Structures are given as C-alpha cells and as structure tokens.
Amino acid sequence: MRLTQMPSEFQKALPVLEKIKEAGFEAYFVGGSVRDALLNRPIHDVDIATSSYPEETKQIFPRTADIGIEHGTVLVLDGDEDYEVTTFRTEDVYVDYRRPSAVSFVRSLEEDLKRRDFTVNAFALDETGEIIDLFHGLEDLENQVLRAVGVASERFNEDALRIMRGFRFQASLGFELESETFKAMNTLTPLLEKISVERIFVEFDKLLLAPFWRRGLTSMIESQAYDYLPDMVSSRDRLQRLFDLEEVFTFESSEQAWAALLWVLEINNVQPFMKHWKTSRQFAKQVQDLVAILAMREKGELSKRDCYRFDLDLLIQAENLRQALGKEVNHQAIRETYNSLTIHDKKEIQINGGILIKEYGYQPGPELGEILSEIEYAIVDGDLENDLEAIHDYLREKK
Ligand code: ATP
Ligand code: MG
C-alpha cells in the first residue's frame, strides 16, 4: 500500500532518509508515527530505522548527538528538527525479563520489525510512501485490533512491559485487544514484578491520560495486572470507583490523574505511595497538594488561607475533578477568593526577618518565625495591608 499524500512531518524528514540511502544503507520511518499517519492522527516523533550502524550513521551527518548509542540510537540534527535514527536490531536473548541481555545490531529490516510489540506499531514507511506491512498490521488497523507481533506469549515473556503497553495503546487508540494477545497478557501479568517501576509508571501514566482510559483500565483490572503494581494490590473495588467519573471525562494532567487515583484508593499518605512509584519529588508534591485540596473541599468552601497555600491552576484542577465526580462545585468562588489575595507568596511581604532584627530588636529564632507568620496570615486574611507603613504600625501596636 502506498500513502497518496506523505504527511508534512515525513516530507520534512525525507532528506535524512535520502542521505542515509545515498551512503549505501537502508532507511525507513518506523513506529508510532507511521501508525498515526495511517490513522490520520497527529504525528509527534518521526523515528527512523536504518541498516547503518551507529558509527556509520554519525559519519553521514555533520550534526549528531549520542543519546542511546548502546541501543543503536543516534540523534540526527537537521535544521530545527531532530530525529532518532536507530540501527535495525534484534532483542532475542532475554535473561531477566527486564531488558535484553544484549542488543544485536542487524542489517535486516524484517528482523527489526519482528521484535516490535504490536502489529500496528510494526510498520515501516519508505521514501516513496510505500508501507511495509509484514504482519497484517493494516488489517488490524482497519479492524481496530491490537495484536502482538508473532507468538503473543513469547513477546510478553521477552519483555513484560509490553503488557502495560498493551493496556496503554488500548487506552490511546480505543482498539480491542485480540483474544490470544489478551490471553497471554492475562497469564503473564506476574512478570510485571520484574519490570522497573519507572518504566511501568510511564505506561500507566500515558494510559490514564489517554482518551479511552476506561477501556485500558478495564482490561488492566480484568487481567489483575494492578496486583503487580506498587501499592495497588487488592485494591480492585476501590479502583473501580474511578469509573464513577463522568463518562466523557479525560484527565487534564498527570498530577490530576494520579490525585484521582489516590483519592479513590483512599490513600491519604501521598508521599510514601509516590515514593514507591519513584516519581520526582516535584510531581509527588503536586499530587499531594491536589489530594489536600480535594480533602479541604469536602469540608466546604475554601478560605483565603486555603487558596493561599496552593497555585490557582491546582485549585481549578481539583474543582474540575470534583465536577467530574458529580460533586457540587464553585469555580467562580475559588477564582474570586484567589484573586482577592494581596499576596500569593511570603516573598512578596514588604518586610523580612532582617528588618525585624535590625529595626525591632528581634533575635533570630522561633519567635521571629512566629511573628513573621503572624504578619503573613494577617495579610492573607485581609486584616493587614502589605505595606511597610501598615506593617510597622502593626508591629508597634504589638510592642
Ligand atoms: P507514542 O505515539 O505514544 O509515542 P509509539 O508507538 O511511538 O507511541 P514508543 O514507546 O514511542 O511508542 O515506541 C516507538 C516504537 O518502538 C513502537 O511503535 C514500537 O514499534 C517500538 N517499541 C517501543 N517499546 C517497545 C517494547 N517494549 N517492545 C517492543 N517494541 C517496542
Ligand atoms: Mg513514540
């Protein structure tokens, strides 16, 4: 099959393919971008696979960066774009289900496509627009089916992350999992224990953010894969509560999705949970803030102090989540309270510890901290103007 119109992202990258070919090697567009082009979906990363070895690729282009050379990937910089150019490879020797024991570079496109996860991810596209489809991926695309390349159980045994990827692609594409493929995923979920949490996080996070997250999550629950995810064991019933979210709801950010997850799982102790998932501290903090806002909102309207503690964006995300949960909401009140605040951070206060020590004879220590917080909250509550004069008067009165 030939694409009648090459999407502009590929056209822009054609010179890269052509240069590799001129040097005497094969080169194709591969992976998600070809799938997305066939589905008329937006294309993000145009990935290239080639028969040239990394050192050979580097000699073809004046500007390259080593980003994963041990996996065969060289980043080729071309104008204002960059492309991952990866040597054809096989990953046939797996020792611990985590990663290939060794990546073998090969010169054959077929070998490379064979090691890919799903038939719809295993297309190659050449410079003429011809689609190379060795595993009937076009048929699966037409029927909206996710099918493992080759023997499903072998593929998931080789790399159990593909189980999570299966749920993730179901969520992003809205396809059904072909029955042998799902059966194999189902049977092999215990292998997920051997996969690094970071890799699982990436796929689970993408699943939650995808438009058909309900479908991906339903399969994940059905297969009991969640039992092998950090801190999720036996949480099936509570996890189901995510489906109480409004039918059409999609998460607007990762932090919102994870906050919703923690909320339905009734996990109040956010930090240890996120630690087990090995997320960044900053991400964990945002999730924690969102969960805290949700908890505060259960008790009623937010006060000025409540709004002061958080970013407006998080306050609104929490309110959107409440809305999707069918709870009473008042976005307007939150915006108004937030906007009525005269400061949003203590750094904006017109006075600081230094001035208190120099001009008011305070000693460094807890008392100083107390008076500073008192000023801070008086300003937040609207009882004190954030103005040097006003603060001076306030302090004088206290003395
Ligand atoms: P997205 O559009 O979300 O980036 P994608 O299909 O490009 O989806 P990537 O994770 O970027 O997915 O991987 C690029 C390609 O590499 C896939 O399409 C697939 O062919 C192959 N691939 C990636 N990870 C695996 C894996 N664990 N096992 C087999 N093939 C994989
Ligand atoms: Mg991709």
Side-chain angles (χ1 to χ4, degrees):
M1 183 208 151
R2 182 161 301 197
L3 287 184
T4 40
Q5 174 74 29
M6 275 263 223
S8 60
E9 292 85 348
F10 291 130
Q11 281 181 28
K12 203 165 178 194
L14 270 180
V16 176
L17 277 202
E18 272 150 13
K19 278 202 194 101
I20 302 175
K21 296 204 69 173
E22 278 163 23
F25 301 101
E26 287 180 52
Y28 302 88
F29 299 122
V30 288
S33 60
V34 183
R35 175 200 66 221
D36 290 340
L38 288 164
L39 289 170
N40 280 320
R41 289 159 58 101
I43 294 170
H44 7 268
D45 311 316
V46 170
D47 292 328
I48 295 172
T50 177
S51 61
S52 64
Y53 287 1
E55 288 307 323
E56 294 166 333
T57 307
K58 282 165 73 172
Q59 291 197 344
I60 301 171
F61 297 97
R63 291 196 302 143
T64 63
D66 289 359
I67 54 160
I69 209 145
E70 65 287 5
H71 309 293
T73 304
V74 172
L75 192 72
V76 170
L77 308 159
D78 181 64
D80 53 356
E81 297 289 335
D82 48 58
Y83 301 100
E84 286 189 14
V85 177
T86 305
T87 304
F88 296 154
R89 56 189 195 188
T90 59
E91 294 169 21
D92 44 8
V93 199
Y94 283 77
V95 282
D96 61 357
Y97 306 104
R98 283 166 206 262
R99 60 182 71 89
S101 55
V103 175
S104 338
F105 299 144
V106 291
R107 299 283 190 187
S108 143
L109 171 69
E110 182 176 352
E111 287 301 311
D112 182 87
L113 296 180
K114 267 205 244 169
R115 59 104 192 157
R116 291 178 184 268
D117 47 9
F118 299 97
T119 61
V120 297
N121 286 347
F123 298 114
L125 170 66
D126 76 7
E127 71 286 356
T128 68
E130 187 68 29
I131 298 284
I132 292 124
D133 172 24
L134 304 181
F135 314 103
H136 306 290
L138 286 170
E139 216 175 293
D140 288 338
L141 214 57
E142 181 71 25
N143 298 325
Q144 307 207 323
V145 164
L146 273 172
R147 183 195 308 271
V149 171
V151 180
S153 57
E154 285 175 13
R155 311 322 314 288
F156 298 117
N157 255 302
E158 283 165 2
D159 179 2
L161 185 72
R162 291 172 186 157
I163 298 171
M164 286 303 288
R165 288 175 61 83
F167 302 133
R168 187 265 271 199
F169 285 114
Q170 191 178 22
S172 59
L173 302 173
F175 287 13
E176 285 309 319
L177 285 158
E178 176 271 328
S179 68
E180 282 304 312
T181 301
F182 184 61
K183 229 189 271 171
M185 288 165 75
N186 219 342
T187 317
L188 296 172
T189 46
L191 292 180
L192 282 171
E193 254 178 4
K194 305 190 182 279
I195 300 294
S196 80
V197 175
E198 292 91 334
R199 291 179 80 206
I200 293 182
F201 175 84
V202 169
E203 298 300 335
F204 191 29
D205 184 57
K206 285 186 176 175
L207 183 160
L208 291 172
L209 288 178
F212 305 97
W213 61 269
R214 289 165 176 277
R215 288 211 208 170
L217 195 62
T218 302
S219 302
M220 211 182 92
I221 291 174
E222 229 174 277
S223 73
Q224 307 207 346
Y226 64 86
D227 265 356
Y228 301 96
L229 308 183
D231 282 0
M232 304 276 276
V233 70
S234 311
S235 45
R236 184 193 191 108
D237 293 342
R238 270 179 265 161
L239 199 54
Q240 295 274 9
R241 293 189 206 154
L242 265 191
F243 298 115
D244 294 344
L245 284 162
E246 219 175 8
E247 192 70 38
V248 293
F249 182 75
T250 53
F251 294 103
E252 59 195 289
S253 69
S254 290
E255 44 275 18
Q256 191 195 43
W258 285 79
L261 187 70
L262 278 129
W263 186 252
V264 300
L265 294 180
E266 292 173 20
I267 295 171
N268 303 317
N269 221 345
V270 177
Q271 290 294 345
F273 180 88
M274 298 312 283
K275 211 165 183 176
H276 292 155
W277 278 91
K278 298 195 181 168
T279 65
S280 73
R281 267 164 190 249
Q282 198 210 349
F283 181 71
K285 171 74 169 63
Q286 290 212 307
V287 174
Q288 185 179 30
D289 282 355
L290 269 171
V291 172
I293 298 166
L294 289 171
M296 287 184 329
R297 273 297 274 126
E298 285 295 290
K299 297 188 187 129
E301 299 264 310
L302 300 180
S303 67
K304 287 188 171 199
R305 287 194 195 192
D306 295 336
C307 289
Y308 174 69
R309 279 177 61 199
F310 305 102
D311 288 342
L312 180 61
D313 171 55
L314 282 187
L315 295 164
I316 296 298
Q317 287 199 48
E319 201 67 357
N320 292 342
L321 202 51
R322 278 178 64 81
Q323 185 161 29
L325 285 164
K327 292 175 188 270
E328 150 286 314
V329 288
N330 193 344
H331 290 77
Q332 178 76 4
I334 290 174
R335 281 210 174 82
E336 275 172 16
T337 309
Y338 187 89
N339 291 331
S340 76
L341 293 170
T342 51
I343 57 168
H344 294 98
D345 190 293
K346 63 160 144 266
K347 288 194 207 94
E348 295 166 32
I349 301 176
Q350 295 289 324
I351 205 165
N352 57 40
I355 299 176
L356 288 183
I357 294 168
K358 247 200 335 232
E359 296 185 20
Y360 291 86
Y362 281 94
Q363 298 298 315
E367 204 200 337
L368 182 67
E370 267 167 42
I371 189 75
L372 277 169
S373 324
E374 198 184 311
I375 293 169
E376 181 182 3
Y377 285 112
I379 294 172
V380 171
D381 293 343
D383 299 335
L384 172 61
E385 231 182 295
N386 183 24
D387 167 274
L388 212 51
E389 271 308 302
I391 300 172
H392 278 251
D393 289 347
Y394 179 83
L395 287 169
R396 252 178 249 124
E397 262 170 49
K398 279 187 70 70
K399 281 256 160 180

